[in-house]
Structures are given as structure tokens and as C-alpha cells.
Amino acid sequence: MSTTSFSVDLRDLHFVLFDQLAAHEQLAAIPRFAELDREVYEATLAEGERLAREVLAPINAPGDLAGCRFDGQGNVTTPKGYREAWELLREGGWLAPSAPSELGGSGLPFTIHVSLSEMLCGACMAFMMYAGLTVGAARVILGHGPEATREMIARKMFTGEWGGTMCLTEAGAGSSVGDNRCRATPTDEPGVYLLEGEKIFISGGDQDLTANIVHLVLARTPNAGKGTKGLSLFMVPKYEFDAGGALGARNGAKVLRIEEKMGIHGSSTCVLGLGGDLPCRGVLIGQENQGIELMFLMMNEARIGVAVQGHAMAAAAFNYARGYAQERIQGQSIREARSQDAPSVAIVQHPDVRRMLMTQKVYAEAMRSLLLRTALVVDREHATEDPAERERLRGRVDLLTPILKATCTDLGFEVAVGAVQVYGGYGYIGEYPVEQLVRDVKICSIYEGTNGIQAMDLVGRKLRVGGGALFIEWMQEAQSRLAAAAEAGLGGPAEAIGKAVQLLAASAMHLAGLGKARKVEAAMIQAVPFTRMFGLVLLAIECVEQAIVAARLRQTRGDEPLLVGKQRNLEFFVAAILPQAIALGKSIQSNDESALDPALFV
């Protein structure tokens, strides 16, 4: 049935990349992408869509049902079809599309990487987690691993011959990484340590897709200080290897069990024992006590990747719900409800279903625009040779990363829940795909730093950088973009969004005032509402800019549904969603501290 078939909205993806952002033109100005053009990008996206639809989507539901299997001896088997899919994507260079081509990647811009990730993650998020963590770990090793072997290791990881993980969390410590107790004892061999401890919630901790797995492990060396500043980072392989990459004996990093989870059953989430029945050798990455700094290189990339996962689930959920609503015949048109002879109609004709679909549509399309705009900033940051411009662009990405991670994952879950509601009772059963999306996407607001931690990072760190310089620069740009919208004939929506921008600024000032008054708890209790407000304002600006582009294109392309839809998106967002941002701003500035009463929750 088409109501259970995965699909990708290539038309909207093309609109954002080529009509709205002119990504092909911006990327052509970057020397290493100069030979790539729109035709190449369109062909790449078309093939990515085919792989998502024909290779990954068919293994998604079966993989969810089967899950991963653990043999009790430290070995994990992935669901049927995963190994074949891995080899197909590996052979085509789809596992690391933005990695350097000379090291086995495809050498594509990060912007195209994000576009492909939407498709592939939307088709089978659990499968793509193996690739995402591998590529992130490979980048850290390439930049800071042992000089003699770093390129060899990175090449094997970028090509999917080896896998990779990130090992932070320990039982009892959870998100408080500074409480980690894993120990690293130096040996007589320079740079080599013996690790002892246990890590939990390790995605891809073992699998049967690759010949080897390289774990990046945070541990504490002797006499290291407390907290995160005392942590160091170690490269811990599943199998030892020589300088040429030939595999040797099994190392003492061994899976003790796999977690039984709510979703992403095809992704092996493991408890990893270090130094239990075998010595666990690890090679120091960077310098001692530099671990959290280096790990954040991977985590920041991962947080954008998780934002893409949230959006991918939203896009998939909306496409499923739209298809179902167009085919599901139930009830009469509300205009003919009193007529006993009125024919039954597709539920897409019912007003409340249309409201739900419109909410999903606006969120999914605005998130796509915001993520790809940010990805372009990342590409420009990496390409520029101007140190000041690089610092400015990096600051923008740093400011937006916690907002993207929190907003896209929260909304991804909300859109998936909305899709279940469109399906009604059928949405709640496994015969249809949307209940799995709800279970799979929920983890996105939890891992790579919970969304509460993202909000604390935004309010406690990013807003304070340079005395608020990052936020002030963003404000100036937002006001400029809204002024351009008013000049383009969208004065009403631009004014409404502008008021939300000003209220956001006032809310930021209010939180800063609480901080100066040392009322830190009162400020942090508003961190999540502020982050949500900021995210909604960002999405509103994307909607107004898409409406401008659509209006211009309608002059030559006529009333294409996609273009009409962009203008309706703006109307709906301003009327139905933007008021949420206004309400959040008023709540943030209300000075309510009732939840902090010590008499509560005892």
C-alpha cells in the first residue's frame, strides 16, 4: 500500500537548495567544489533518494521488529539486510559523502551531506547511526590521532571498512560527564595506556558490518583533576592493528550486553566493558586532560547530525500522513454532513486533518530550510582563508547548534505524534509505519546532550560569548532580513515576526539580568522555553524568505502547488504558530519561580 511507502520530497529539497539558497552558486565559489554544479548535485540527490527508497526503507520495519542479537560472548549481530545495505552504500561512497575524497570519502559539500542524511535517516535512522558515528570519530582521529597512522585509520573508517563509536556515558554519571570514573594507566610504551571501567549507552558498541571498530573513550589518568578538565581521550580498537592496518588480537573492549530500548532497535546500544577479561589497550589522542575538548569536536558535529535526524523523522512522518490522508476514505464532507446520500470522502478533506497536516508541513519545510542554510555556513567556514570571517562564521554555527538540536528533535517528535493522529487507530499499530517513527525519534531529544542541556549551553554560554556578541550579530542580520521582506511586499508578516524578534531580545536581556543578580536558578528554569522561542523565531524567518522566493517564481512558473504552498506556510505560521513564541516570551519575563519552591517534590 502507498500509505506504508517511504517517500522523499525532492521538489522541496530542490526549491530550498537551488531557488531559495542558490547553494550551487555559493558552493561554486569554494575552490574545492568549483567543478561541481547543479546538475551534479541533482543527480547525486536523485541517486540518494533511490537508495533511501529501494535499499534502506525496506529494511527499516523488519529491522525494528528483529532488533540486534547478542551472543553473550561480546558479539552483536545486526538485523537481516543491514550487512547487504552497508556494502551497497560503502561501495558507492555514501557513508561519508563530505569526507575528503583522497581519504575514501566522496568530497561533497556538507550542505549536500545534510540533504542526503535527511533521505537516508528518514528511510532507516537506526541503520544510519552506524555511519554517522563512524564518520564523526574518523574526523577526530584524522585531526588528532597518532601521526603515523591517522590517515590510514581515517580512510578505513570513511570507507566503512572499520566502524567507530563515541564512549562518554557511565552508569551513575549520565549527562554529568565530569563524574566519569573510567581509569587509564600508562604503560612503558609511549602513548599507550591500559583502560579499566565500563561505559553504557554506546551506540554501535559492536556490530557485524565492519572488520574492526575504533572506540573513542573518555577516561581519567592517574593524578588527573576532578571534573571534565581531568579527562583524556583514548583510541581503543576492538582488534589491535599494525601500521598498515592489518588486524591482530582481540583487545579488551568487550560488549557485556545490549540495551532493550523504546526504539531504534536496529542500532546496537551496548554496555561496553574495558579491561575485564583481557587487558584493554588505548592510545592517547591529543594530550592528557584534553579529552573533553577533543570529544566536543565530534559532539558538535553530532549535534547537528541529530538535528538532521529529528527533521528527517518529521519529513518522513509528514509524507506518510499526507499520503494516508489522501487515500483513506472515511466520513462525509462537513459541508454535506446532513445529507444521508452524501458520498464518503478522503480524510484530507476534513478541516482538522488539514490543520494537522499543515502544522506538519510548515515545521518540516521550515526545518529543512534552516538546516541547509546552517550547513552552507559550515561549508563557508571551512573554506574561507580569512581568519576573522572564519571566526564569525564559526560563532554563528556555535550559537545555532544547541537551538537546532533542541528545536528539530522536539518538533520531529511532535510531527511524528501528529502523523499518528492523522492515521487514527491505524497509526497506533505496527501495520503502519508512523508508530515506529515516534519511538525512533524520541531518543533524539535525549542523546548527544539532552535538550535541557542544549538550552543551558545556549543561555549559560553562547549568549554570554563576547558580552552577547553572537546574539547581537544574529539580531542585526534578522532585522535586515525582515526589512528586505517588508520591501518585497510582506510588511505585515515581517512586522509580526519583527515583534517576536524584539521580544526574544528582551527575554535574553531579562535572563542576563537574572544572571547578573546571581539568580542563576531562576534564569536556567527558563532556558528551555527561551530555546524553544528562539527556534520558532528562526523558523518564522525561513518561512518569510521562502514566501518571497515563491512570489518571485510565480511570476514565471505560475501557480505551482509548491509555490502557493510556501506563501500559505507563511500565513499559517504567523497566525497559528508564531503566537506560541510571543506567549513564551511573556512567560520567560514573568519572574515566576514557583517550581523552585523547596517544599515541592519531597
Side-chain angles (χ1 to χ4, degrees):
M1 296 176 63
S2 62
T3 49
T4 60
S5 297
F6 174 78
S7 64
V8 173
D9 194 343
L10 274 177
R11 294 178 307 166
D12 192 61
L13 191 52
H14 287 178
F15 172 87
V16 175
L17 284 172
F18 307 125
D19 296 324
Q20 179 190 352
L21 300 176
H24 55 303
E25 297 174 4
Q26 292 196 55
L27 293 169
I30 298 174
R32 69 175 179 272
F33 304 136
E35 295 183 3
L36 305 177
D37 57 18
R38 177 170 177 169
E39 185 177 350
V40 170
Y41 295 140
E42 287 190 355
T44 301
L45 296 174
E47 180 63 11
E49 187 273 341
R50 186 193 68 80
L51 289 169
R53 181 169 38 83
E54 296 183 3
V55 177
L56 295 191
I59 65 175
N60 191 36
D64 175 63
L65 290 173
C68 295
R69 299 193 306 276
F70 178 57
D71 67 357
Q73 303 300 314
N75 304 302
V76 174
T77 302
T78 55
K80 182 180 180 181
Y82 270 46
R83 292 186 67 176
E84 292 80 2
W86 185 268
E87 286 304 311
L88 274 174
L89 269 65
R90 194 171 92 79
E91 291 169 6
W94 296 97
L95 298 175
S98 63
S101 55
E102 63 271 20
L103 292 176
S106 297
L108 290 169
F110 183 65
T111 306
I112 303 303
H113 178 119
V114 168
S115 303
L116 293 170
S117 292
E118 176 196 328
M119 304 177 190
L120 300 175
C121 288
C124 190
M125 175 179 154
F127 174 88
M128 288 304 298
M129 287 180 64
Y130 295 107
L133 287 164
T134 295
V135 172
R139 291 192 195 281
V140 174
I141 292 168
L142 180 62
H144 303 277
E147 188 171 354
T149 57
R150 62 175 61 166
E151 288 194 0
M152 178 273 293
I153 298 168
R155 182 179 292 106
K156 287 185 176 294
M157 296 174 76
F158 286 142
T159 59
E161 183 180 348
W162 291 3
T165 76
M166 175 169 58
C167 302
L168 284 77
T169 310
E170 296 182 12
S175 297
S176 184
V177 178
D179 292 340
N180 281 5
R181 299 179 300 275
C182 183
R183 295 176 299 177
T185 304
T187 67
D188 294 335
E189 188 177 351
V192 177
Y193 292 68
L194 293 180
L195 275 66
E196 294 179 90
E198 186 173 289
K199 297 290 181 176
I200 65 170
F201 301 156
I202 307 306
S203 298
D206 194 67
Q207 32 80 1
D208 58 350
L209 308 176
T210 63
N212 199 9
I213 302 172
V214 180
H215 306 287
L216 292 185
V217 181
L218 284 179
R220 203 175 299 278
T221 55
N223 303 316
K226 295 181 179 180
T228 57
K229 293 182 179 180
L231 293 172
S232 300
L233 185 64
F234 299 89
M235 180 178 69
V236 178
K238 177 180 178 179
Y239 291 99
E240 299 281 3
F241 54 86
D242 62 22
L247 300 183
R250 182 81 179 251
N251 196 14
K254 183 176 180 181
V255 170
L256 305 179
R257 66 178 185 275
I258 56 177
E259 307 284 4
E260 293 297 328
K261 307 185 298 293
M262 175 180 173
I264 53 168
H265 294 146
S267 173
S268 58
T269 304
C270 304
V271 175
L272 190 66
L274 306 171
D277 53 359
L278 288 173
C280 180
R281 289 165 50 88
V283 176
L284 181 68
I285 301 292
Q287 304 297 319
E288 283 194 21
N289 304 322
Q290 197 184 8
I292 200 68
E293 174 189 342
L294 297 178
M295 187 63 89
F296 263 106
L297 297 176
M298 183 175 178
M299 288 180 67
N300 284 334
E301 178 179 334
R303 285 170 175 174
I304 295 177
V306 173
V308 175
Q309 287 180 334
H311 164 249
M313 295 287 102
F318 168 59
N319 288 335
Y320 280 127
R322 175 173 53 184
Y324 182 80
Q326 290 169 343
E327 295 189 4
R328 170 63 168 158
I329 306 299
Q330 181 178 327
Q332 290 76 38
S333 166
I334 197 168
R335 292 186 299 272
E336 302 180 45
R338 295 185 178 181
S339 171
Q340 295 183 352
D341 298 326
S344 297
V345 297
I347 64 171
V348 74
Q349 295 191 30
H350 300 323
D352 190 54
V353 172
R354 298 185 73 85
R355 178 194 60 80
M356 290 189 287
L357 289 174
M358 192 66 175
T359 303
Q360 296 165 36
K361 175 181 187 294
V362 170
Y363 279 145
E365 293 180 6
M367 282 192 285
R368 178 179 292 121
S369 176
L370 178 58
L371 285 166
L372 291 175
R373 183 184 301 278
T374 306
L376 268 174
V377 176
V378 173
D379 278 322
R380 290 164 51 206
E381 174 204 336
H382 291 165
T384 184
E385 297 181 0
D386 182 344
E389 177 67 359
R390 184 182 304 113
E391 188 66 22
R392 186 187 72 82
L393 295 172
R394 182 179 297 121
R396 175 59 54 84
V397 175
D398 285 347
L399 175 68
L400 294 182
T401 294
I403 308 168
L404 292 176
K405 197 277 186 183
T407 300
C408 293
T409 58
D410 280 344
L411 292 180
F413 180 72
E414 291 177 23
V415 171
V417 169
V420 170
Q421 196 71 21
V422 170
Y423 275 75
Y426 287 118
Y428 196 66
I429 62 176
E431 181 182 349
Y432 291 88
V434 287
E435 64 87 25
Q436 182 187 343
L437 296 183
V438 173
R439 292 185 288 103
D440 285 354
V441 74
K442 187 63 201 115
I443 187 59
C444 295
S445 61
I446 299 171
Y447 60 15
E448 302 305 339
T450 67
N451 287 357
I453 289 175
Q454 305 303 315
M456 293 172 66
D457 177 47
L458 175 64
V459 172
R461 294 188 181 93
K462 303 301 170 55
L463 291 186
R464 298 170 59 191
V465 171
L470 299 182
F471 182 75
I472 291 170
E473 186 198 17
W474 173 83
M475 274 281 298
Q476 292 171 342
E477 182 182 301
Q479 290 169 337
S480 176
R481 291 165 69 182
L482 291 173
E487 292 178 5
L490 293 174
E495 181 181 2
I497 298 169
K499 289 179 179 178
V501 170
Q502 292 299 325
L503 186 57
L504 180 70
S507 299
M509 290 294 292
H510 176 75
L511 296 177
L514 291 174
K516 289 180 180 178
R518 299 187 180 277
K519 300 184 69 174
V520 178
E521 288 183 322
M524 285 305 176
I525 204 170
Q526 300 297 344
V528 166
F530 179 82
T531 304
R532 178 60 172 251
M533 182 187 184
F534 206 154
L536 292 176
V537 170
L538 288 170
L539 296 178
I541 295 174
E542 295 303 320
C543 285
V544 77
E545 293 204 338
Q546 290 201 329
I548 293 172
V549 175
R552 172 172 53 82
L553 293 176
R554 287 182 72 179
Q555 296 176 9
T556 55
R557 286 162 49 174
D559 295 338
E560 291 184 17
L562 182 144
L563 302 180
V564 173
K566 294 302 180 184
Q567 294 178 298
R568 295 291 179 262
N569 282 2
L570 175 61
E571 295 169 11
F572 184 84
F573 200 105
V574 170
I577 297 175
L578 190 63
Q580 297 175 27
I582 302 298
L584 285 167
K586 293 179 179 178
S587 175
I588 291 165
Q589 298 182 58
S590 69
N591 290 316
D592 172 53
E593 299 180 21
S594 56
L596 298 176
D597 188 331
L600 298 176
F601 319 124
V602 294

